[in-house]
Amino acid sequence: MEAVNRDWLPLAATALAGSAACAYAMYHLKKRAPKSMPPSPPPLNWLLGLGGSGHAPAFARPDLHRYLTEWASKLGGVYVLYIKGPFYVVTDPFLVNQVLSRGDMAMPKHEGIYRMLDGFLAFGLPQFFSSSDENGDLWRGYRKGLAPCFSLDSLKKSFPKVRACTEKMVSMWETQYFATGEAVPIDSWMSRATLDIIGHLFYNYDFNALDSEHNEFVEAMHENLVALSQSLSDPIGDILAKLFPTAKAKQSAARTERIKALFTAVYEAVKSRGDPPADDQSVGANIMRIKKPSTGEPFPEETVFATLCVLLIGGYDTTASTCMWALYDIARQPDVQKRIAQELAGAGLLQVPGQAPARQLEWADLAAFPYFNAVLKESMRLHTTAATGTVRVCPKNAMLGGWQIPKGSVVWLPFHAMHNSIHNFSAPEVFDPERWLGQLPTGGKPNPTPNTVHLHATATAANPPLAENKADSGPTHPSFATPHGDARVPPSKAMLPFSDGSRGCIGMNLAYVDARTILLSILSKFWLELDPSVGPHDKVEASQVMALVLTSGIPIKLRLKSHAPL
């Protein structure tokens, strides 16, 4: 008698066991979930889902912001992920602004999560950025003490230093790249330029980053960012590497010590100058003189050092990323370049063939070009530097957008997802500066769909550089589609690349001054063209790592505008 083939039995048993596990996971999650739970994407790992961590694999990915954005578009302005329990993800702009406000729905930072980043930001030392206690000495002392450094008056006085650094870079490009026809590695140059600017403005310290193709600080920090992303994408491997040190782990430890030594050199240079004069409102001077509000005593030296570290990282790297992405977006849009050139030509800032050199960039120019500022804003929307946003904790039982949020819950506001959700913007994947302007140009696009945020850029030469971010002259109540009907917010709250509320980025004004000075200086002199090695747009987008760094650079070729017409 012929034997019966039972090779299929192990497969069938595995399939049945898997189905049972899936059914149990779904039952387990539903049983644990409070009533009126927001929608949730399917667990990415059913076994982890048994313990309430079914979405942890996405949380560990370096391109996490793309997952969050895709889910926001599919599920709406509030949804829930399970990562050691529920994480409430909020991208509805009206609800985001409630959480960031000082009102009844205000939620403090989740200090435990932010402390996890301190190892990268400040070598595990306490500093004000991570503090959740807004009434405590640490946050109140440094927030108030650093505010004068970032006032428009202070930045206006510092503007010549920013311009001088940018002019130096542009001059070097003309000699080094235009003459040879080589492409400019934009990512490296933006990091080096912003590091030199921050060094001079913050600490009166010269990193000499523009003077060398290989700057130790820039390269070490870039390696650290990539390593951080890799460790997040492989948390188990990262833990094993710490328990059983490998050559790679030893290299990481050595890199951390090297970076700490570089930070220490800056700190020692600032400290060696002694008590700063009263009129010195630089960051370095203020962090040395800030005292505890409650006692008037100085902060511990380790806190001062940690604050220097976090401000230096935040001051140069995020602005470098913003400039890099803006140049990339402009280079891939010839019509955008031409329209910016027309604005600059009308103000005498364009190098026109056969005419005298363009005039020097002035402070008032930073807010004088509505279309250019709309382009920058649109690039910041598409490539939000702080892509994963901010994480808060719900201090009491609350209703958020119709959903019950239990006390102690994690509430996550991912800004990239907010800026790129189809519920907040029409065709969010399209680079469209027109959505920030008050009227369409001749031959412009049809009226946008109702859920398009369509803001005015009202910057003029008489306004401070950030005027258009404070008061827009467009529609005062753009609509956003949410799971519970239309929510309405002022247009200035529709996009939050620097967060908002009391914990909004303290350096926002400086970031805009730096970015606009750098970009306008470049665009007044050069036409930009992406090097063929960059590849298609989807390839570039896929190479983002938490929207801060790229696994590959963006080389751009230059043409002098003084040698070519519009």
Side-chain angles (χ1 to χ4, degrees):
M1 179 181 293
E2 185 176 347
V4 177
N5 188 341
R6 292 183 171 84
D7 291 345
W8 56 272
L9 287 176
L11 294 176
T14 301
L16 287 172
S19 299
C22 291
Y24 180 78
M26 291 300 294
Y27 170 78
H28 181 74
L29 291 176
K30 289 181 178 180
K31 185 177 179 181
R32 290 183 54 180
K35 295 180 180 179
S36 188
M37 203 69 171
S40 178
L44 299 178
N45 184 300
W46 289 104
L47 292 178
L48 290 176
L50 297 177
S53 298
H55 302 108
F59 183 77
R61 288 186 59 91
D63 58 350
L64 168 64
H65 54 287
R66 258 189 289 279
Y67 274 83
L68 297 173
T69 302
E70 180 181 345
W71 286 331
S73 291
K74 289 182 178 179
L75 301 175
V78 183
Y79 62 92
V80 66
L81 301 178
Y82 291 93
I83 308 163
K84 290 186 178 179
F87 276 48
Y88 294 85
V89 183
V90 181
T91 60
D92 180 293
F94 175 73
L95 303 178
V96 167
N97 279 275
Q98 282 190 317
V99 172
L100 296 178
S101 73
R102 292 184 179 273
D104 292 339
M105 285 304 302
M107 299 184 188
K109 276 188 170 184
H110 193 297
E111 190 159 350
I113 290 178
Y114 278 91
R115 288 297 181 198
M116 293 170 58
L117 296 176
D118 278 352
F120 166 72
L121 293 172
F123 308 101
L125 302 173
Q127 38 75 31
F128 82 106
F129 172 76
S130 298
S131 174
S132 63
D133 183 7
E134 295 188 15
N135 295 314
D137 278 342
L138 186 57
W139 190 84
R140 285 199 304 128
Y142 277 99
R143 186 75 182 198
K144 182 178 180 180
L146 291 170
C149 309
F150 301 102
S151 69
L152 289 179
D153 183 61
S154 178
L155 293 174
K156 186 175 181 178
K157 294 177 182 177
S158 301
F159 171 70
K161 291 183 179 180
V162 181
R163 181 178 59 194
C165 184
T166 303
E167 288 176 344
K168 176 181 177 179
M169 179 184 69
V170 170
S171 178
M172 294 173 73
W173 284 12
E174 186 173 358
T175 302
Q176 186 172 343
Y177 294 101
F178 177 71
T180 63
E182 295 180 44
V184 181
I186 290 295
D187 50 332
S188 170
W189 277 95
M190 293 302 99
S191 293
R192 288 154 60 191
T194 53
L195 180 60
D196 271 354
I197 290 172
I198 292 302
H200 288 298
L201 266 59
F202 277 18
Y203 307 117
N204 194 23
Y205 186 89
D206 195 349
F207 284 97
N208 295 309
L210 285 175
D211 295 325
S212 175
E213 182 179 352
H214 300 287
N215 179 268
E216 184 179 14
F217 190 97
V218 170
E219 292 181 353
M221 286 303 302
H222 180 83
E223 291 173 7
N224 216 32
L225 279 168
V226 173
L228 173 68
S229 298
Q230 291 173 345
S231 68
L232 288 174
S233 63
D234 184 18
I236 296 177
D238 189 52
I239 294 172
L240 291 175
K242 292 176 180 177
L243 295 175
F244 308 100
T246 61
K248 184 177 180 181
K250 292 177 180 178
Q251 290 175 359
S252 177
R255 181 176 59 250
T256 299
E257 288 302 312
R258 188 168 76 251
I259 293 172
K260 189 173 183 178
L262 294 170
F263 278 115
T264 301
V266 180
Y267 177 69
E268 292 297 335
V270 173
K271 189 172 70 169
S272 68
R273 299 177 193 134
D275 294 336
D279 62 346
D280 185 350
Q281 291 299 326
S282 67
V283 168
N286 278 357
I287 64 172
M288 300 304 291
R289 64 164 68 103
I290 292 172
K291 302 292 192 295
K292 295 181 180 180
S294 63
T295 65
E297 299 174 349
F299 282 94
E301 188 171 19
E302 65 176 14
T303 301
V304 180
F305 173 71
T307 301
L308 179 148
C309 294
V310 73
L311 288 171
L312 182 52
I313 293 173
Y316 100 89
D317 184 75
T318 52
T319 304
S321 176
T322 296
C323 291
M324 178 194 72
W325 285 116
L327 290 170
Y328 165 75
D329 284 323
I330 293 169
R332 67 188 179 96
Q333 309 272 354
D335 291 341
V336 168
Q337 283 197 72
K338 290 179 180 179
R339 187 164 172 188
I340 293 175
Q342 290 169 354
E343 276 193 326
L344 298 182
L349 283 172
L350 195 71
Q351 296 281 37
V352 180
Q355 295 187 16
R359 67 173 176 83
Q360 191 177 46
L361 187 72
E362 298 295 341
W363 169 259
D365 293 321
L366 302 186
F369 306 111
Y371 185 74
F372 162 76
N373 283 313
V375 168
L376 176 57
K377 186 176 285 189
E378 179 69 349
S379 181
M380 293 173 71
R381 181 191 68 80
L382 275 173
H383 304 110
T384 307
T385 298
T388 49
T390 181
V391 184
R392 304 300 175 108
V393 61
C394 189
K396 59 184 178 181
N397 293 331
M399 293 292 291
L400 190 63
W403 306 113
Q404 297 177 11
I405 311 295
K407 178 181 178 179
S409 296
V410 179
V411 177
W412 191 356
L413 315 176
F415 296 137
H416 181 276
M418 173 181 166
H419 298 163
N420 289 271
S421 168
I422 61 172
H423 298 286
N424 301 336
F425 291 90
S426 166
E429 75 284 355
V430 175
F431 183 83
D432 181 17
E434 302 297 336
R435 69 175 91 236
W436 304 108
L437 296 174
Q439 59 184 10
L440 294 173
T442 303
K445 301 176 184 178
N447 290 331
T449 55
N451 66 342
T452 299
V453 179
H454 201 75
L455 309 182
H456 288 248
T458 59
T460 67
N463 287 335
L466 299 178
E468 74 278 11
N469 297 295
K470 298 297 184 182
D472 296 289
S473 60
T476 56
H477 294 95
S479 297
F480 297 90
T482 69
H484 298 281
D486 287 342
R488 299 182 178 277
V489 299
S492 60
K493 303 292 186 181
M495 197 180 86
L496 303 176
F498 297 98
S499 191
D500 201 15
S502 60
R503 301 308 293 259
C505 177
I506 192 172
M508 178 181 70
N509 284 357
L510 174 65
Y512 272 119
V513 169
D514 287 356
R516 290 173 180 176
T517 304
I518 290 171
L519 296 173
L520 287 171
S521 298
I522 293 170
L523 294 170
S524 69
K525 195 155 193 174
F526 299 111
W527 295 108
L528 310 178
E529 180 183 348
L530 290 177
D531 188 80
S533 64
V534 173
H537 178 61
D538 57 352
K539 174 189 170 185
V540 175
E541 291 287 293
S543 68
Q544 292 183 60
V545 178
M546 293 196 300
L548 282 172
V549 295
L550 290 173
T551 54
S552 59
I554 297 181
I556 290 180
K557 291 190 173 183
L558 309 172
R559 285 190 296 129
L560 277 175
K561 288 183 173 177
S562 60
H563 291 195
L566 288 175

